[in-house]
Short mmCIF file of all heavy atoms in Angstrom, two decimals:
data_model
loop_
_atom_site.label_atom_id
_atom_site.label_comp_id
_atom_site.label_asym_id
_atom_site.label_seq_id
_atom_site.Cartn_x
_atom_site.Cartn_y
_atom_site.Cartn_z
N ALA A 137 -43.12 -103.51 -89.33
CA ALA A 137 -43.36 -104.85 -88.77
C ALA A 137 -42.51 -105.89 -89.48
O ALA A 137 -42.36 -107.01 -88.99
CB ALA A 137 -44.84 -105.19 -88.91
N ASN A 152 -45.02 -76.01 -98.25
CA ASN A 152 -45.93 -75.69 -99.35
C ASN A 152 -45.39 -76.39 -100.58
O ASN A 152 -44.48 -75.90 -101.24
CB ASN A 152 -46.01 -74.18 -99.58
CG ASN A 152 -46.73 -73.48 -98.44
OD1 ASN A 152 -47.85 -73.83 -98.09
ND2 ASN A 152 -46.08 -72.49 -97.84
N ASN A 193 -56.09 -85.66 -102.24
CA ASN A 193 -56.23 -84.27 -102.65
C ASN A 193 -55.60 -84.06 -104.03
O ASN A 193 -54.99 -84.96 -104.61
CB ASN A 193 -55.65 -83.33 -101.59
CG ASN A 193 -54.17 -83.55 -101.34
OD1 ASN A 193 -53.50 -84.15 -102.17
ND2 ASN A 193 -53.68 -83.08 -100.22
N THR A 194 -55.78 -82.89 -104.56
CA THR A 194 -55.38 -82.60 -105.93
C THR A 194 -53.89 -82.86 -106.15
O THR A 194 -53.49 -83.47 -107.15
CB THR A 194 -55.68 -81.11 -106.25
OG1 THR A 194 -56.93 -80.79 -105.64
CG2 THR A 194 -55.76 -80.88 -107.72
N GLU A 216 -51.76 -95.81 -97.09
CA GLU A 216 -52.36 -94.97 -96.05
C GLU A 216 -51.41 -94.84 -94.86
O GLU A 216 -50.39 -95.54 -94.80
CB GLU A 216 -53.69 -95.59 -95.61
CG GLU A 216 -54.74 -95.55 -96.71
CD GLU A 216 -56.12 -95.89 -96.19
OE1 GLU A 216 -56.66 -95.15 -95.36
OE2 GLU A 216 -56.66 -96.92 -96.62
N ASP A 218 -51.37 -95.87 -91.80
CA ASP A 218 -50.98 -97.04 -91.00
C ASP A 218 -50.04 -97.97 -91.76
O ASP A 218 -49.33 -98.77 -91.16
CB ASP A 218 -52.20 -97.79 -90.45
CG ASP A 218 -53.26 -98.04 -91.50
OD1 ASP A 218 -53.16 -97.45 -92.60
OD2 ASP A 218 -54.18 -98.81 -91.25
N PHE A 221 -45.95 -98.40 -91.46
CA PHE A 221 -45.28 -99.33 -90.55
C PHE A 221 -45.48 -100.81 -90.89
O PHE A 221 -45.08 -101.68 -90.14
CB PHE A 221 -45.77 -99.08 -89.11
CG PHE A 221 -45.64 -97.64 -88.72
CD1 PHE A 221 -46.74 -96.80 -88.75
CD2 PHE A 221 -44.42 -97.12 -88.34
CE1 PHE A 221 -46.63 -95.46 -88.40
CE2 PHE A 221 -44.28 -95.79 -88.01
CZ PHE A 221 -45.39 -94.96 -88.03
N PHE A 233 -45.46 -80.89 -94.87
CA PHE A 233 -46.42 -80.64 -93.79
C PHE A 233 -46.96 -81.97 -93.27
O PHE A 233 -46.85 -82.29 -92.09
CB PHE A 233 -47.56 -79.75 -94.30
CG PHE A 233 -48.43 -79.22 -93.19
CD1 PHE A 233 -48.08 -78.07 -92.51
CD2 PHE A 233 -49.58 -79.89 -92.82
CE1 PHE A 233 -48.87 -77.59 -91.48
CE2 PHE A 233 -50.37 -79.42 -91.79
CZ PHE A 233 -50.02 -78.26 -91.12
N LYS A 240 -44.31 -86.96 -86.28
CA LYS A 240 -44.47 -86.50 -84.90
C LYS A 240 -45.65 -87.20 -84.22
O LYS A 240 -45.59 -87.47 -83.03
CB LYS A 240 -44.70 -84.99 -84.88
CG LYS A 240 -43.48 -84.19 -85.33
CD LYS A 240 -42.73 -83.58 -84.16
CE LYS A 240 -41.45 -82.92 -84.58
NZ LYS A 240 -41.59 -81.48 -84.80
N SER A 241 -46.74 -87.45 -84.95
CA SER A 241 -47.88 -88.06 -84.26
C SER A 241 -47.58 -89.52 -83.94
O SER A 241 -47.99 -90.01 -82.88
CB SER A 241 -49.19 -87.88 -85.04
OG SER A 241 -49.08 -88.37 -86.32
N LYS A 247 -44.32 -92.34 -77.46
CA LYS A 247 -44.02 -91.75 -76.14
C LYS A 247 -45.15 -92.01 -75.16
O LYS A 247 -44.92 -92.24 -73.97
CB LYS A 247 -43.79 -90.24 -76.27
CG LYS A 247 -42.42 -89.87 -76.82
CD LYS A 247 -42.21 -88.35 -76.71
CE LYS A 247 -41.76 -87.74 -78.02
NZ LYS A 247 -41.97 -86.30 -78.13
N GLU A 252 -47.10 -94.73 -70.37
CA GLU A 252 -48.07 -95.63 -69.74
C GLU A 252 -47.37 -96.81 -69.06
O GLU A 252 -47.77 -97.24 -67.99
CB GLU A 252 -49.06 -96.16 -70.78
CG GLU A 252 -50.16 -95.20 -71.13
CD GLU A 252 -51.00 -94.79 -69.92
OE1 GLU A 252 -51.45 -95.68 -69.17
OE2 GLU A 252 -51.18 -93.58 -69.71
N LYS A 255 -46.11 -95.49 -65.84
CA LYS A 255 -47.19 -95.19 -64.90
C LYS A 255 -47.80 -96.48 -64.34
O LYS A 255 -47.93 -96.66 -63.14
CB LYS A 255 -48.28 -94.37 -65.63
CG LYS A 255 -48.90 -93.29 -64.75
CD LYS A 255 -50.16 -92.71 -65.35
CE LYS A 255 -49.96 -92.01 -66.68
NZ LYS A 255 -51.23 -91.56 -67.29
N GLN A 256 -48.13 -97.40 -65.25
CA GLN A 256 -48.78 -98.65 -64.84
C GLN A 256 -47.82 -99.49 -63.99
O GLN A 256 -48.24 -100.17 -63.06
CB GLN A 256 -49.20 -99.46 -66.06
CG GLN A 256 -50.15 -98.74 -66.99
CD GLN A 256 -51.60 -98.78 -66.51
OE1 GLN A 256 -51.90 -99.44 -65.52
NE2 GLN A 256 -52.46 -98.06 -67.18
N ARG A 266 -44.34 -107.33 -61.58
CA ARG A 266 -44.63 -107.73 -62.97
C ARG A 266 -43.74 -106.97 -63.96
O ARG A 266 -43.20 -107.55 -64.88
CB ARG A 266 -46.09 -107.40 -63.31
CG ARG A 266 -47.05 -108.45 -62.87
CD ARG A 266 -48.37 -108.32 -63.60
NE ARG A 266 -49.34 -109.15 -62.90
CZ ARG A 266 -50.25 -108.69 -62.06
NH1 ARG A 266 -50.36 -107.40 -61.84
NH2 ARG A 266 -51.07 -109.52 -61.45
N ILE A 269 -40.17 -108.21 -63.98
CA ILE A 269 -40.03 -109.48 -64.70
C ILE A 269 -40.15 -109.26 -66.22
O ILE A 269 -39.45 -109.87 -67.02
CB ILE A 269 -41.09 -110.49 -64.22
CG1 ILE A 269 -40.79 -110.85 -62.75
CG2 ILE A 269 -41.08 -111.75 -65.07
CD1 ILE A 269 -41.91 -111.59 -62.06
N ALA A 270 -41.04 -108.34 -66.57
CA ALA A 270 -41.30 -108.13 -68.00
C ALA A 270 -40.27 -107.22 -68.66
O ALA A 270 -40.28 -107.06 -69.87
CB ALA A 270 -42.69 -107.54 -68.18
N SER A 276 -37.07 -104.85 -75.27
CA SER A 276 -36.80 -105.24 -76.66
C SER A 276 -37.90 -104.72 -77.58
O SER A 276 -37.65 -104.44 -78.75
CB SER A 276 -36.61 -106.75 -76.78
OG SER A 276 -37.82 -107.39 -76.95
N ARG A 280 -37.42 -101.57 -80.64
CA ARG A 280 -37.88 -101.63 -82.03
C ARG A 280 -38.55 -100.33 -82.47
O ARG A 280 -38.50 -99.98 -83.64
CB ARG A 280 -38.87 -102.79 -82.21
CG ARG A 280 -38.23 -104.14 -82.17
CD ARG A 280 -37.76 -104.55 -83.57
NE ARG A 280 -38.91 -104.77 -84.41
CZ ARG A 280 -39.01 -104.36 -85.66
NH1 ARG A 280 -38.05 -103.69 -86.22
NH2 ARG A 280 -40.10 -104.62 -86.36
N ALA B 137 -51.85 -88.48 -72.52
CA ALA B 137 -51.15 -88.87 -71.31
C ALA B 137 -51.87 -88.33 -70.06
O ALA B 137 -51.60 -88.78 -68.96
CB ALA B 137 -49.72 -88.33 -71.36
N ASN B 152 -59.47 -81.31 -99.56
CA ASN B 152 -58.99 -80.04 -100.12
C ASN B 152 -59.65 -78.94 -99.29
O ASN B 152 -60.77 -78.55 -99.53
CB ASN B 152 -59.37 -79.91 -101.60
CG ASN B 152 -58.59 -80.87 -102.47
OD1 ASN B 152 -57.37 -80.90 -102.43
ND2 ASN B 152 -59.29 -81.68 -103.24
N ASN B 184 -49.79 -78.05 -86.47
CA ASN B 184 -48.80 -77.41 -87.34
C ASN B 184 -47.46 -78.13 -87.22
O ASN B 184 -47.28 -78.98 -86.35
CB ASN B 184 -48.66 -75.93 -86.97
CG ASN B 184 -48.01 -75.11 -88.06
OD1 ASN B 184 -47.58 -75.64 -89.08
ND2 ASN B 184 -47.92 -73.81 -87.84
N ASN B 193 -47.74 -73.96 -93.19
CA ASN B 193 -48.08 -73.64 -94.57
C ASN B 193 -49.08 -72.48 -94.61
O ASN B 193 -49.57 -72.02 -93.59
CB ASN B 193 -48.58 -74.88 -95.33
CG ASN B 193 -49.82 -75.48 -94.72
OD1 ASN B 193 -50.53 -74.83 -93.95
ND2 ASN B 193 -50.10 -76.73 -95.05
N THR B 194 -49.35 -72.00 -95.80
CA THR B 194 -50.17 -70.80 -95.98
C THR B 194 -51.55 -70.96 -95.33
O THR B 194 -52.04 -70.05 -94.65
CB THR B 194 -50.35 -70.54 -97.49
OG1 THR B 194 -49.10 -70.82 -98.13
CG2 THR B 194 -50.75 -69.12 -97.76
N GLU B 216 -47.83 -79.32 -82.23
CA GLU B 216 -47.20 -80.23 -83.20
C GLU B 216 -47.82 -81.63 -83.06
O GLU B 216 -48.55 -81.92 -82.12
CB GLU B 216 -45.70 -80.28 -82.94
CG GLU B 216 -45.02 -78.96 -83.26
CD GLU B 216 -43.50 -79.09 -83.29
OE1 GLU B 216 -42.98 -79.80 -84.16
OE2 GLU B 216 -42.85 -78.47 -82.44
N ASP B 218 -46.80 -84.53 -82.07
CA ASP B 218 -46.65 -85.32 -80.84
C ASP B 218 -47.49 -84.76 -79.70
O ASP B 218 -47.78 -85.46 -78.73
CB ASP B 218 -45.18 -85.49 -80.44
CG ASP B 218 -44.41 -84.18 -80.49
OD1 ASP B 218 -44.93 -83.19 -81.03
OD2 ASP B 218 -43.28 -84.15 -79.98
N PHE B 221 -51.10 -86.06 -78.20
CA PHE B 221 -51.24 -87.04 -77.13
C PHE B 221 -50.77 -86.55 -75.77
O PHE B 221 -50.70 -87.32 -74.83
CB PHE B 221 -50.47 -88.32 -77.50
CG PHE B 221 -50.85 -88.83 -78.86
CD1 PHE B 221 -50.07 -88.57 -79.97
CD2 PHE B 221 -52.02 -89.55 -79.02
CE1 PHE B 221 -50.43 -89.02 -81.22
CE2 PHE B 221 -52.40 -90.02 -80.27
CZ PHE B 221 -51.60 -89.75 -81.37
N LYS B 240 -54.18 -92.26 -88.80
CA LYS B 240 -53.79 -93.59 -89.29
C LYS B 240 -52.34 -93.90 -88.92
O LYS B 240 -52.01 -95.04 -88.64
CB LYS B 240 -53.96 -93.67 -90.81
CG LYS B 240 -55.42 -93.58 -91.28
CD LYS B 240 -55.97 -94.93 -91.63
CE LYS B 240 -57.45 -94.90 -91.93
NZ LYS B 240 -57.73 -94.78 -93.36
N SER B 241 -51.45 -92.89 -88.96
CA SER B 241 -50.06 -93.23 -88.68
C SER B 241 -49.87 -93.51 -87.19
O SER B 241 -49.09 -94.39 -86.83
CB SER B 241 -49.08 -92.17 -89.21
OG SER B 241 -49.37 -90.91 -88.71
N LYS B 247 -50.45 -100.41 -83.62
CA LYS B 247 -50.53 -101.80 -84.11
C LYS B 247 -49.15 -102.43 -84.17
O LYS B 247 -49.00 -103.62 -83.89
CB LYS B 247 -51.17 -101.83 -85.51
CG LYS B 247 -52.69 -101.67 -85.48
CD LYS B 247 -53.26 -101.92 -86.89
CE LYS B 247 -54.15 -100.79 -87.34
NZ LYS B 247 -54.38 -100.75 -88.80
N GLU B 252 -45.38 -106.36 -82.05
CA GLU B 252 -44.09 -106.64 -81.44
C GLU B 252 -44.26 -107.40 -80.12
O GLU B 252 -43.49 -108.31 -79.81
CB GLU B 252 -43.31 -105.35 -81.19
CG GLU B 252 -42.59 -104.81 -82.41
CD GLU B 252 -41.63 -105.80 -83.02
OE1 GLU B 252 -40.79 -106.35 -82.30
OE2 GLU B 252 -41.72 -106.02 -84.25
N LYS B 255 -44.89 -110.95 -81.10
CA LYS B 255 -43.72 -111.60 -81.67
C LYS B 255 -42.68 -111.89 -80.58
O LYS B 255 -42.20 -113.00 -80.44
CB LYS B 255 -43.10 -110.68 -82.74
CG LYS B 255 -42.55 -111.43 -83.93
CD LYS B 255 -41.70 -110.55 -84.85
CE LYS B 255 -42.42 -109.39 -85.48
NZ LYS B 255 -41.52 -108.50 -86.23
N GLN B 256 -42.38 -110.86 -79.77
CA GLN B 256 -41.35 -111.00 -78.74
C GLN B 256 -41.80 -112.00 -77.67
O GLN B 256 -40.99 -112.74 -77.14
CB GLN B 256 -41.07 -109.65 -78.07
CG GLN B 256 -40.62 -108.56 -79.02
CD GLN B 256 -39.15 -108.63 -79.36
OE1 GLN B 256 -38.43 -109.45 -78.81
NE2 GLN B 256 -38.72 -107.81 -80.29
N ARG B 266 -42.39 -114.70 -69.19
CA ARG B 266 -42.38 -113.26 -68.89
C ARG B 266 -43.66 -112.60 -69.38
O ARG B 266 -44.28 -111.80 -68.70
CB ARG B 266 -41.21 -112.57 -69.58
CG ARG B 266 -39.94 -112.67 -68.82
CD ARG B 266 -38.94 -111.65 -69.29
NE ARG B 266 -37.66 -112.01 -68.72
CZ ARG B 266 -36.69 -112.64 -69.37
NH1 ARG B 266 -36.85 -112.96 -70.65
NH2 ARG B 266 -35.59 -112.95 -68.75
N ILE B 269 -46.67 -113.39 -67.24
CA ILE B 269 -46.69 -112.64 -65.97
C ILE B 269 -47.03 -111.16 -66.24
O ILE B 269 -47.76 -110.53 -65.48
CB ILE B 269 -45.32 -112.75 -65.27
CG1 ILE B 269 -45.09 -114.21 -64.84
CG2 ILE B 269 -45.25 -111.84 -64.05
CD1 ILE B 269 -43.67 -114.50 -64.41
N ALA B 270 -46.53 -110.65 -67.35
CA ALA B 270 -46.72 -109.22 -67.62
C ALA B 270 -48.08 -108.92 -68.23
O ALA B 270 -48.45 -107.77 -68.40
CB ALA B 270 -45.62 -108.73 -68.56
N SER B 276 -53.43 -103.50 -69.64
CA SER B 276 -53.94 -102.21 -69.18
C SER B 276 -53.30 -101.06 -69.98
O SER B 276 -53.90 -100.02 -70.19
CB SER B 276 -53.77 -102.05 -67.67
OG SER B 276 -52.52 -101.52 -67.38
N ARG B 280 -55.35 -98.46 -72.89
CA ARG B 280 -55.28 -96.99 -72.96
C ARG B 280 -55.12 -96.49 -74.38
O ARG B 280 -55.58 -95.41 -74.71
CB ARG B 280 -54.11 -96.49 -72.09
CG ARG B 280 -54.37 -96.58 -70.62
CD ARG B 280 -55.06 -95.33 -70.10
NE ARG B 280 -54.16 -94.18 -70.19
CZ ARG B 280 -54.52 -93.00 -70.62
NH1 ARG B 280 -55.75 -92.77 -71.04
NH2 ARG B 280 -53.65 -92.02 -70.64
#
Side-chain angles (χ1 to χ4, degrees):
Chain A
N152 290 306
N193 61 18
T194 320
E216 293 192 64
D218 48 348
F221 307 100
F233 192 85
K240 293 257 174 96
S241 56
K247 282 189 231 160
E252 280 301 310
K255 218 193 298 175
Q256 302 279 355
R266 276 198 194 102
I269 294 167
S276 87
R280 287 272 292 138
Chain B
N152 290 306
N184 198 356
N193 60 18
T194 320
E216 293 192 65
D218 47 349
F221 308 100
K240 293 259 173 95
S241 56
K247 283 188 232 161
E252 279 303 309
K255 217 192 299 174
Q256 302 279 355
R266 276 198 193 101
I269 294 168
S276 87
R280 287 272 293 137

